[in-house]
Structure formats: C-alpha cells, structure tokens
Amino acid sequence: MAALCSEFGDLVQIKKQLISVICLCKERGLLHSVKWASELAFALAPLPKDELPPSPPFTEEDAQDLDALTLAKSYFDLKEYDRAAYFLKGCCSQKSYFLYMYSRYLSGEKKKDDETVDSLGPLEKGQVRNEALRELRVELSKKHIAGELDGFTLYLYGVVLRKLDLIKEAVEVFVEAIHALPLHWGAWLELGNLVTNNEMLKSLSLPDCWIKDFFMAHMYTELQMIKEALQKYQNLIEAGFSKSTYIISQIAVAYHNIRDIDQALAMFNELRDRDPYRIDNMDTFSNLLYVKSMKPELSYLAHNLVEIDKYRVETCCVIGNYYSLRSQHEKAALYFQRALKLNPRCLGAWTLMGHEYMEMKNTSAAIQAYRHAIEVNKRDYRAWYGLGQTYEILRMPFYCLYYYRKAHQLRPNDSRMLVALGESYEKLSQQAEAKKCYWRAYSVGDVEKMALLKLAKLHEQLNESDDAAQCYMLYIQDIFSCGEQLEHAEVSTALRYLGQYYFKNKLYDEASLCAQRCCDYNDAREEGKALLRQISQVRDQIETPSADLFAPLSNNNTPVRRVSPLNLISFTP
C-alpha cells in the first residue's frame, strides 16, 4: 500500500488508500471496517479511472489456495463458520490463514451467543465462554513469537487476548497491529475500547497517519473530553470530509454526551436527511427524543425503523424507549430483552433494561442488568449511576457511595453525579464532604437546580444559619435568573427560611419582602401573612435601621460567593 500521508493535504492519496483497504477487509470478511472505510470514501470526490489503485498483489501461495479460499469465503459469508474453517485447514497464504482463524473465532462466538440467548433472563449472570479462545491464543502466540503475523492476524490475536481478559497484552498487540496496517479501523476501535483515561491515551505509541485524527476524536468523545472531540471533528470537516455521515453521527453523539439536547437533535435530523435509511446511532437519537418527551417524533422514528429492519438491535431499543415514555415498562423491558437476544453485548440495551426494572421496583434484576452493562463497557457512567440509585432504594449508602464515585470519575463535571455523591455522604454523616459535593455541583453548572437547595438545607440542619441564608439567596437568584419555572414548593421553602432569618436578624425590610413573596405560594401563604403581622407588631414598637444585608455572612469552610443585592419584587414566579 502507498506510503501513508500524515496530513490531509492529498485527499486523492487518502481516497486511494481507502479503496485499497476496503478491498483487503472485504476479502477477509471484516464487514464493519469495510462499511466505515466505504462511508469515508463516499464523502470524498470520485477518482478518474486511471487514478484508481491497482488490485492487491497476488502471491504464489494465494494462487495455490485460491479454490479453497473462494469456497470457504462463500461459506463464511453465509455464516457457516465451522464449514469455512474445515476447508481452509492446511492452507498457507496469509489471507487463508486469517480467514481460517477468524472462522474458528466467530464459530465460538456464535455458539456462545446462542447459549447466552437460551439462558438469558433478567437474573442470569451469563458467564458463557467462547471455548475456542484458549486454543486460538496458543496457536497465534506461537506465530507471534516467530514474527509470522500480518496486520490482520495481529488484530485477531489482540481480540482473542481481550476476550480472555489479558488486557495489557491485548493493548500491546493492537498497537503492533495498527503499526503493521494503519488503515484498518477495526484495530483502532478495539484499542480504543481498552483505553481507560487520557494519561493512558497519551502514553500509546501510535503511527503518524491521517486516520489517527479520527481515532483521537473518537477517544475524546469516549473519555468525555467533548470540547476537544468537537474541535477535532470540525478540523476533519474543514480538511475535506464535510459530506461524511460518520462525522455528523459522531458530532451528534458528542452533543448527546454533554446533554446539549437541541444541538444533538439538530445533528441527528441532518443525519437522517442525508441518510434516511440509517439505523446506526438511532437508539441514541431515541434517547434524546425520550428526554424531551417528544412522543409523536419517537413514535414516527420507531415505525420508520420497523419498516427498514425490525430485527435490528437499535430498532428494538427505539421501540423500548417509546413504550418507556408511555410508562408501559413491562413492554419496554421486553423490547430491550429482544435487543439483547440479537446482540448480548449491546451496552445501551443492558443499561436501558436496568432503568425499566428500576421503574418496576425490581431492584435485583436492575442490578444484574447494570452489572452486565459494566462488563460490556466499564466507561458507561449511566450503569454505575444506575447501580448507585438501586442501592439507594435498598438503603445501602456505602454501596451507593462506591458506585456514585465511579460515575463521578467518568463524568467529573456532571452535577447529577455530584449531587448523588453529596446525598450519600450526608446519609453517612460525612457533612463536610457532602457540602463540598453540593458546592462543586453548583459551580460546574447544576442542571437540576438542586445542589444549592440541598446545601442550604444541610447548613440549616447544622444550625449554620448565615450560610443557609446565603445558599437560599443564591438558589432563588439561580431559579429566576434562568427564567425556568421549577417546583414552587422549593422556592417557597427558601423564601420562608429567608423571611424568618431576616426577621431574627432584625432586617425587617428584607423580611417583609420575603413574607410578601411567600403570599404568592399556596403552601407558604399563611406563614407569609403571619410573618407580616409579626413585622408590623415589632415596627409599631420600635423602628430599626436596616443593616448591610449582603456583607459576608460567615467564615465557615463552605465557599460563599458574594451576591448582588436581591430584588425580590422584580421576580415573577
């Protein structure tokens, strides 16, 4: 294959390389890598006939194995893996050897999946092994030591090692495979699945090739470094891949990961305009429609995917989400189970099924589902968070704390994880840690507007009235400054407390303002009126000049932000 260009200057050269690798992967039955490379090649301008790359070189060994390979490949394409392996036994070309070993591997995987499906239930642990793995490892290891593995067989050796949980060895072999054949996207993806953090990513010795930019963008998305990922994808679009549906789908997923729902929906709608029969990533699209409670759109998407292919994992997940949105949780769980029968390694289906069991109050089944999700991908923060929630229901705060910590490590700037951590610390009477969590949740951008409220209530319990008042003030400002209409009961709670606080501190003007605002809420009206009467009585007795309300309130350890004067009259709840 032509020398790899490290930059995107020569798109013609990149197109040639893609066409060559499509041919190589197709011969070896690596269909997902073929699809990825084909989608990228389609996004680039067509080549004139005389610019098309030549066919891969044909060796004497290839000629000798041609008939057996052609026959075996026909069986392989029909998923008759044992039959394909039988006719390839004894063949000596690199291509034949790869297909022989790959057929044996896939045969073991198919048998494992069939057995998993037969035993698959919500409480099954599903520890079924691919019996072929150990034999394959022994054979490939000998060839590896002898230096006889090409880029494709190195990739397969890495997959076998990963399946046997030999992670360190697998990483080394995948890196070797990528250096031997940089354009095989499957090897990059497998390596990506084993990278646990940014430090590990930086430590990898990767070839200097244009495909590395796609890998880095993919990894930034996986490691929740979304700003960096979006910048990478923007660079790729500007480099000449503006028509790539793969890049549009990845940008949509990145926006989904940072909960920028409107941007993500816009990207998914653009993706569906360009590729209306696409099923990949549509389960993620349905998650967004679910969060926005867009029933008609979710219903349309489900019907559309059923027409295209109702036996795809993504289709089942979309239908499951539709039934979940309609609160038909038994039906939803049924469709997620159907998705898992089609692919027991489907991460999204395990997590979503866990959510449905939570809704049905079946905590033991939910725990098993979330554990399966973590086995598939340890970076799935939703599964760790779901486990924390299930143990919260079971009133086991130590377990909660462990799982919420895991979720927080994966999503350090997600306020929901921090609030959950704070609640766990509070239940374990570790108030100082709880305060830090709540304040951090507020600092990173509290999506649910709960952190300040919980922090204020914690200060209130600890009789730290100055800090409690400060937090309630910030909470009220936060609620009304963003123009959202949240639970009125919570706003009235804050106003009630502030009214009493100011009254005790003889700040009657401010207490009077809070009491007046309390009268706007049914649950606080009587208390507001009572406080106004108290203020009136005190004022009749003595007039007290108002102190500087917004002076720093406390030297307590909780960080306290200076606030601008609070104009309660201008609030319109």
Side-chain angles (χ1 to χ4, degrees):
M1 201 178 292
L4 295 166
C5 44
S6 58
E7 294 178 5
F8 291 93
D10 192 354
L11 291 177
V12 172
Q13 191 63 26
I14 289 173
K15 177 93 173 194
K16 286 181 180 179
Q17 292 168 358
L18 285 167
I19 292 169
S20 297
V21 84
I22 287 165
C23 181
L24 292 172
C25 290
K26 201 179 283 182
E27 289 174 334
R28 290 161 177 80
L30 296 164
L31 303 181
H32 290 287
S33 292
V34 170
K35 182 167 83 167
W36 183 84
S38 301
E39 284 181 351
L40 270 198
F42 182 76
L44 299 174
L47 295 177
K49 185 184 172 187
D50 57 341
E51 286 280 343
L52 290 171
S55 298
F58 206 70
T59 65
E60 188 61 46
E61 289 173 331
D62 289 331
Q64 199 177 329
D65 294 345
L66 182 62
D67 295 332
L69 185 60
T70 307
L71 178 66
K73 184 66 167 59
S74 70
Y75 296 145
F76 180 93
D77 290 342
L78 293 167
K79 300 188 177 176
E80 299 181 39
Y81 301 123
D82 287 331
R83 202 174 177 194
Y86 176 79
F87 285 98
L88 285 168
K89 197 169 186 180
C91 291
C92 48
S93 68
Q94 287 276 18
K95 212 182 297 179
S96 302
Y97 181 70
F98 173 81
L99 202 62
Y100 167 63
M101 298 300 275
Y102 193 39
S103 297
R104 288 171 62 192
Y105 166 75
L106 287 179
S107 168
E109 285 296 291
K110 188 169 183 290
K111 285 165 188 164
K112 184 189 85 166
D113 286 351
D114 291 346
E115 201 175 322
T116 304
V117 166
D118 291 340
S119 67
L120 191 65
L123 301 175
E124 293 287 341
K125 195 71 182 77
Q127 287 296 338
V128 185
R129 299 304 298 246
N130 177 348
E131 297 301 329
L133 289 175
R134 296 191 186 285
E135 287 177 28
L136 291 171
R137 184 201 166 199
V138 170
E139 291 177 42
L140 287 165
S141 175
K142 286 176 186 170
K143 291 255 185 187
H144 184 230
I145 291 163
E148 294 173 10
L149 298 183
D150 66 356
F152 287 111
T153 34
L154 280 167
Y155 155 75
L156 182 58
Y157 183 34
V159 171
V160 169
L161 290 170
R162 178 178 68 78
K163 290 277 182 179
L164 291 167
D165 293 324
L166 300 166
I167 305 302
K168 188 171 177 291
E169 294 93 321
V171 169
E172 290 168 5
V173 171
F174 283 131
V175 169
E176 199 180 330
I178 287 163
H179 278 279
L181 186 72
L183 290 175
H184 178 210
W185 181 240
W188 290 92
L189 274 188
E190 287 287 350
L191 176 63
N193 288 336
L194 302 179
V195 175
T196 51
N197 53 52
N198 193 32
E199 287 67 38
M200 183 178 173
L201 181 62
K202 286 177 182 171
S203 71
L204 294 173
S205 165
L206 302 173
D208 186 20
C209 163
W210 59 265
I211 205 168
K212 180 181 172 182
D213 286 286
F214 283 89
F215 174 70
M216 294 305 284
H218 167 77
M219 284 314 304
Y220 288 149
T221 308
E222 288 288 301
L223 296 171
Q224 306 300 328
M225 298 164 66
I226 304 301
K227 188 180 172 187
E228 292 87 344
L230 290 170
Q231 185 58 57
K232 276 277 183 195
Y233 284 125
Q234 190 55 44
N235 294 345
L236 290 168
I237 286 170
E238 289 166 8
F241 290 95
S242 59
K243 294 180 183 174
S244 167
T245 51
Y246 165 77
I247 290 177
I248 295 169
S249 71
Q250 291 304 106
I251 292 171
V253 169
Y255 280 126
H256 165 267
N257 286 2
I258 52 168
R259 295 172 68 84
D260 190 338
I261 295 170
D262 293 333
Q263 278 278 20
L265 286 172
M267 295 305 295
F268 273 118
N269 285 320
E270 183 185 339
L271 185 62
R272 285 191 39 89
D273 287 341
R274 292 201 194 188
D275 192 356
Y277 292 94
R278 182 188 183 96
I279 294 182
D280 296 345
N281 310 111
M282 288 302 113
D283 49 339
T284 306
F285 184 30
S286 76
N287 292 344
L288 294 163
L289 296 173
Y290 176 92
V291 169
K292 293 281 273 188
S293 298
M294 297 166 77
K295 269 188 199 174
E297 291 84 352
L298 190 48
S299 172
Y300 175 77
L301 179 65
H303 281 101
N304 185 230
L305 294 185
V306 165
E307 282 177 14
I308 299 168
D309 185 353
K310 70 179 185 181
Y311 294 114
R312 271 282 289 269
V313 170
E314 293 88 343
T315 304
C316 294
C317 288
V318 171
I319 298 169
N321 270 338
Y322 172 67
Y323 281 121
S324 183
L325 188 55
R326 292 182 59 181
S327 298
Q328 294 177 257
H329 300 297
E330 290 84 359
K331 266 192 172 180
L334 191 70
Y335 273 95
F336 294 134
Q337 280 185 325
R338 189 173 291 182
L340 291 164
K341 288 198 172 187
L342 293 167
N343 178 11
R345 291 180 297 280
C346 175
L347 171 66
W350 280 119
T351 307
L352 292 168
M353 194 160 79
H355 295 346
E356 294 313 306
Y357 283 129
M358 283 276 284
E359 293 289 346
M360 292 188 277
K361 306 287 188 285
N362 187 347
T363 48
S364 57
I367 286 167
Q368 289 297 347
Y370 289 135
R371 287 195 189 285
H372 273 294
I374 288 163
E375 280 172 24
V376 174
N377 184 358
K378 288 184 171 60
R379 289 197 300 261
D380 182 24
Y381 78 93
R382 294 171 307 165
W384 291 109
Y385 184 63
L387 277 169
Q389 287 179 309
T390 48
Y391 283 111
E392 200 171 321
I393 290 167
L394 296 169
R395 297 180 182 175
M396 299 167 77
F398 277 110
Y399 282 82
C400 290
L401 191 61
Y402 172 77
Y403 293 116
Y404 285 143
R405 268 183 184 157
K406 287 281 191 184
H408 168 60
Q409 284 165 7
L410 293 165
R411 301 270 292 191
N413 293 323
D414 192 321
S415 61
R416 294 167 302 160
M417 313 299 143
L418 285 157
V419 168
L421 262 179
E423 287 172 339
S424 299
Y425 279 125
E426 217 177 316
K427 282 170 189 158
L428 293 166
S429 300
Q430 295 184 38
Q431 278 85 359
E433 293 298 322
K435 285 183 202 172
K436 286 179 193 169
C437 289
Y438 292 142
W439 184 261
R440 172 89 176 130
Y442 168 64
S443 304
V444 298
D446 183 13
V447 290
E448 290 172 339
K449 307 287 179 230
M450 291 298 291
L452 278 174
L453 192 70
K454 289 184 178 293
L455 183 55
K457 287 179 176 175
L458 183 54
H459 282 309
E460 198 180 331
Q461 286 167 23
L462 296 170
N463 296 318
E464 297 165 358
S465 56
D466 292 344
D467 289 323
Q470 186 81 29
C471 291
Y472 277 130
M473 274 192 281
L474 286 172
Y475 170 71
I476 291 174
Q477 284 188 323
D478 220 24
I479 293 295
F480 290 108
S481 65
C482 64
E484 289 183 37
Q485 293 301 309
L486 271 79
E487 291 276 329
H488 279 185
E490 301 293 13
V491 176
S492 62
T493 302
L495 287 167
R496 269 196 304 245
Y497 184 86
L498 285 171
Q500 294 294 341
Y501 170 77
Y502 294 144
F503 183 73
K504 282 175 195 166
N505 284 280
K506 299 178 182 176
L507 302 170
Y508 300 122
D509 289 345
E510 289 76 9
S512 180
L513 279 172
C514 290
Q516 287 166 25
R517 301 311 292 164
C518 281
C519 294
D520 294 332
Y521 302 92
N522 291 331
D523 63 323
R525 187 168 294 140
E526 292 308 315
E527 287 184 47
K529 286 177 181 176
L531 183 56
L532 283 170
R533 284 194 295 271
Q534 280 180 283
I535 294 166
S536 181
Q537 286 168 11
V538 172
R539 276 183 164 160
D540 285 343
Q541 293 166 13
I542 184 169
E543 281 293 325
T544 306
S546 179
D548 179 7
L549 166 62
F550 296 99
L553 292 172
S554 165
N555 292 322
N556 191 285
N557 288 334
T558 305
V560 174
R561 197 170 68 171
R562 285 184 179 273
V563 293
S564 55
L566 194 62
N567 182 2
L568 292 167
I569 296 168
S570 68
F571 292 154
T572 52

